[in-house]
């Protein structure tokens, strides 16, 4: 119900969201998000086929690999891609929830994928980044539904489990990697900024612990090491 009314408000069908204040059941509140593993992320990106839409698919997947939301990827324009300067990293201007803007640094492989796709096109910087052919018209901005559908197709081809064939699961994978598989300066506070969260409490949902991580934590106790 919450998701339905949120969609209706974002689509302009209603002015206010009557379910905005409805709290989720405790079982759902404490549920860990479904996320891509590092291997699944690499597998999906590597599975992109060559051809007419291959470069676009690669650019799209790299956007999600950097933790962007579906709506943020949909709103990207060519001019939002920032070239690296003075030895710094390439970046992308992202418009998040509530019209909040942030700059997301791009890994070199991701930057190369995006610029390779842009290089095949001709037009102004204000053009949408991800385009498609719709009713015979080329160059139109891909819709949220179109991006989600394309992602599902690519994920199915790559053998990604059915419950993970959604762009948000790739965003969850990015958050999980940053928190558990890397040494991010500033920890969860920095990850919160990368994800575009206005509150660190929102990022805490990613602090889910698998049984293996709990075992590793226990083995790290000096008592067990005889110290």
């Amino acid at each position: 119900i919450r998701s339905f009314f949120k969609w209706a408000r974002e689509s302009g069908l209603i002015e206010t969201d009557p379910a905005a204040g409805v709290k989720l059941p405790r079982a759902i509140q404490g549920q860990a998000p479904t996320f891509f593993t590092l291997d699944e992320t690499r597998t999906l990106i590597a599975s992109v086929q060559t051809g007419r839409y291959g470069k676009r698919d690669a650019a799209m997947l790299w956007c999600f690999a950097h933790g962007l939301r579906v709506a943020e990827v949909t709103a990207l324009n060519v001019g939002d891609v920032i070239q690296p300067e003075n030895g710094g990293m390439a970046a992308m201007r992202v418009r998040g929830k509530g019209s909040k803007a942030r700059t997301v640094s791009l890994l070199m492989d991701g930057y190369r994928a995006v610029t390779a796709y842009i290089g095949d096109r001709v037009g102004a910087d204000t053009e949408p980044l991800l385009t498609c052919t719709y009713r015979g018209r080329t160059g139109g901005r891909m819709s949220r539904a179109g991006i989600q559908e394309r992602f599902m197709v690519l994920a199915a081809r790559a053998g990604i489990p059915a419950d993970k064939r959604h762009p948000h699961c790739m965003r969850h994978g990015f958050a999980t990697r940053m928190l558990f598989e890397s040494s991010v300066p500033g920890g969860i506070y920095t990850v919160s900024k990368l994800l575009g969260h206005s509150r660190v409490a929102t990022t805490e949902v990613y602090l889910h612990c698998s049984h293996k991580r709990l075992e590793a934590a226990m083995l790290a106790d000096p008592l067990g090491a005889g110290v």
Side-chain angles (χ1 to χ4, degrees):
I1 292 174
R2 279 165 49 104
S3 298
F4 171 76
F5 281 115
K6 180 181 178 182
W7 166 82
R9 186 176 183 279
E10 291 177 348
S11 301
L13 300 177
I14 57 176
E15 293 184 358
T16 59
D17 183 355
V22 177
K23 294 184 178 180
L24 294 173
R26 287 191 176 185
I28 297 179
Q29 286 180 340
Q31 184 177 353
T34 303
F35 63 95
F36 269 51
T37 65
L38 176 59
D39 286 342
E40 287 171 338
T41 299
R42 287 173 171 166
T43 296
L44 180 55
I45 293 175
S47 70
V48 173
Q49 300 176 353
T50 58
R52 182 179 180 184
Y53 300 110
K55 290 183 179 180
R56 183 197 65 188
D57 292 340
M60 178 187 72
L61 293 179
W62 271 109
C63 288
F64 290 125
H66 283 78
L68 272 63
R69 302 179 178 95
V70 177
E72 293 171 344
V73 175
T74 304
L76 287 173
N77 292 323
V78 173
D80 291 326
V81 181
I82 304 172
Q83 298 179 358
E85 294 182 355
N86 302 322
M89 295 179 66
M92 188 174 284
R93 284 185 290 266
V94 178
R95 289 169 289 282
K97 287 185 176 180
S99 299
K100 295 178 180 178
R102 70 184 189 279
T103 300
V104 177
S105 298
L106 296 177
L107 297 173
M108 186 52 65
D109 285 345
Y111 176 67
R112 290 192 183 111
V114 171
T115 53
Y117 170 53
I118 295 175
D120 283 350
R121 299 165 49 189
V122 178
D125 289 345
T126 54
E127 278 194 347
L129 178 63
L130 299 182
T131 64
C132 63
T133 301
Y134 181 68
R135 293 183 178 179
R137 183 173 65 89
T138 59
R141 185 183 301 273
M142 286 187 74
S143 65
R144 290 179 59 173
I147 289 176
Q148 291 172 328
E149 183 177 350
R150 185 60 181 170
F151 186 95
M152 291 179 65
V153 170
L154 295 173
R157 288 179 182 173
I160 302 299
D163 63 334
K164 296 185 179 183
R165 295 172 189 172
H166 191 282
H168 224 63
C169 293
M170 205 166 187
R171 171 176 162 86
H172 293 330
F174 168 79
T176 303
R177 292 196 308 275
M178 293 296 100
L179 288 170
F180 294 113
E181 301 176 27
S182 60
S183 300
V184 177
I188 191 172
Y189 299 98
T190 301
V191 176
S192 180
K193 296 297 182 182
L194 291 173
L195 293 170
H197 290 162
S198 57
R199 299 183 304 133
V200 174
T202 306
T203 316
E204 290 177 351
V205 70
Y206 296 103
L207 295 178
H208 45 77
C209 288
S210 67
H211 184 66
K212 288 186 177 180
R213 288 197 181 102
L214 293 174
E215 287 181 342
M218 187 58 69
L219 290 173
D221 185 348
L223 178 63
V227 178

